[in-house]
Amino acid sequence: MTGTVTIRKAGPGLSLQDMGRPGYLVHGVSRGGAADPLALAEGAALLSQSPDAAALEMAGMGGEFTADRDLRIALTGADMRATMDGAPLVSNASHSWPEGAVLSIGAARLGTYGYLHVGGGFVTPKRLGSRSAHLGAGLGTLLDDGETLPVGTDAGKTTGQVLTPDPRFDGGALRVLPSLQTDFFPADVLERFEATEFHRDIRGNRMGARMNSDGPGFLTDGGLSVLSEVIVPGDIQVTGDGTPFVLLAECQTTGGYPRIGTVLPCDLPKVAQAQPGAGLRFHFVTLEQAIEAETRARDAVKGLRSKVHPLIRDPRDMPDLLSYQLISGAIAGNEEI
């Protein structure tokens, strides 16, 4: 441990998240982890560290924080209004966090889940190989005012970097693979499912999101014969009233509702980040198309560091302006002339 971060004020859905706990499904624990894992990879690229480092996940609103030593940070995911001692900070960028400065992160302007990364990551004790809070499994809890989080050793030094995020914050098209129960739904219901624009319901959490639409539901008589079986994030369950629910990172491990399809993992952040009312459409793809899409997405994540570039900052918004030694540079320039 090389420092700590203190939570002065915690937003309503503040938790520590990493890439989750793969391998425990057989024991009744879903993978969990960040609702938007791409945001973890983006933060890692901005700070030149491992995407396995734990970050603070902020659902809808952030909070107020201080650090007991100078740190590097990155802000990714949802666009949340952030300031450092009152000076605005750019989203999807890395910044210096001076010891004692107050970092304030407000409500999301676009998207749902924002992430606060620190150089070295948060290094709380691991449970089942992860630092993620998994509320449904009773592993960890939401964070509250006054809590202190330890920070690991930071091998990097660079800040003032920015990254254009993958667009995923205002809904859009979702690619879907057929599931074991897709054929239970009549052809006309499947056609209407693809042709319908859904809107994310205000009711939703890390377990799943309800999809609202106009018109009748998406019922199937075959759903009455479905036995409870393994389910995973991305599965689209259709409840008894014909309403689709898209399962997210912290979903249960088994379920008996029929699954009309499964959203590809690379498109699932669009569901997690969609604000209530955002429009979403589903489109079935073949297994070959799904593999191609997932391969492209993984290659894009691997190449994120090459997409990072320096942030052009407004001097009026730079509390550390004097550290850049602008005057000495000007004198050197005059001497050369």
Side-chain angles (χ1 to χ4, degrees):
M1 183 182 77
T2 62
T4 61
V5 169
T6 297
I7 305 168
R8 291 172 40 139
K9 295 180 182 178
L14 186 68
S15 67
L16 200 61
Q17 299 294 337
D18 55 23
M19 289 296 186
R21 298 176 175 83
Y24 290 95
L25 195 64
V26 67
H27 301 292
V29 179
S30 56
R31 178 168 184 153
D36 181 0
L38 181 53
L40 290 189
E42 291 169 342
L46 287 165
L47 295 175
S48 297
Q49 62 185 15
S50 170
D52 294 325
L56 281 177
E57 181 178 274
M58 303 169 287
M61 179 175 289
E64 194 172 278
F65 314 89
T66 56
D68 69 350
R69 59 158 295 170
D70 293 349
L71 297 175
R72 295 187 309 142
I73 63 168
L75 302 171
T76 64
D79 179 16
M80 295 178 164
R81 182 181 181 276
T83 62
M84 184 77 71
D85 277 348
L89 298 180
V90 177
S91 294
N92 300 296
S94 61
H95 306 275
S96 297
W97 188 0
E99 176 186 345
V102 177
L103 172 62
S104 298
I105 304 176
R109 295 177 289 202
L110 183 65
T112 297
Y113 291 98
Y115 294 84
L116 169 59
H117 312 255
V118 295
F122 293 100
V123 289
T124 57
K126 290 186 176 181
R127 298 181 179 182
L128 300 182
S130 171
R131 296 184 171 93
S132 286
H134 192 307
L135 305 182
L139 297 169
T141 62
L142 292 178
L143 299 171
D144 206 350
D145 300 353
E147 292 194 57
T148 298
L149 300 173
V151 176
T153 302
D154 184 6
K157 296 181 179 180
T158 304
T159 58
Q161 303 294 300
V162 67
L163 179 66
T164 301
D166 185 72
R168 59 188 186 277
F169 302 104
D170 54 0
L174 304 171
R175 288 163 291 191
V176 175
L177 270 176
S179 81
L180 293 176
Q181 288 105 38
T182 301
D183 288 342
F184 288 4
F185 294 84
D188 63 315
V189 171
L190 294 176
E191 291 175 6
R192 186 162 51 83
F193 178 74
E194 285 193 281
T196 297
E197 181 176 65
F198 294 88
H199 297 89
R200 178 169 175 168
D201 192 271
I202 192 171
R203 290 165 291 182
N205 52 31
R206 287 175 42 82
M207 293 185 66
R210 175 187 172 107
M211 299 287 109
N212 295 329
S213 66
D214 298 328
F218 301 86
L219 299 171
T220 171
D221 292 337
L224 299 176
S225 62
V226 174
L227 299 177
S228 185
E229 59 184 3
V230 173
I231 53 178
V232 296
D235 280 348
I236 309 169
Q237 290 188 310
V238 178
T239 58
D241 63 355
T243 301
F245 278 77
V246 181
L247 303 183
L248 296 176
E250 208 170 293
C251 67
Q252 66 273 31
T253 56
T254 61
Y257 288 119
R259 291 169 292 169
I260 198 169
T262 302
V263 177
L264 300 192
C266 61
D267 284 351
L268 203 52
K270 289 185 180 181
V271 182
Q273 290 288 12
Q275 291 183 322
L280 295 160
R281 286 183 177 272
F282 299 100
H283 172 64
F284 284 104
V285 296
T286 65
L287 180 59
E288 292 74 17
Q289 291 170 324
I291 292 173
E292 181 182 354
E294 286 295 318
T295 300
R296 286 200 306 268
R298 292 179 184 179
D299 290 344
V301 168
K302 292 177 182 178
L304 279 175
R305 290 195 184 185
S306 66
K307 302 291 182 63
V308 172
H309 56 277
L311 171 65
I312 299 176
R313 302 170 67 187
D314 186 336
R316 292 171 296 182
D317 297 333
M318 297 170 66
D320 55 347
L321 180 62
L322 293 180
S323 68
Y324 284 79
Q325 300 181 4
L326 300 178
I327 295 177
S328 64
I331 293 173
N334 290 332
E335 290 176 347
E336 292 176 2
I337 295 173

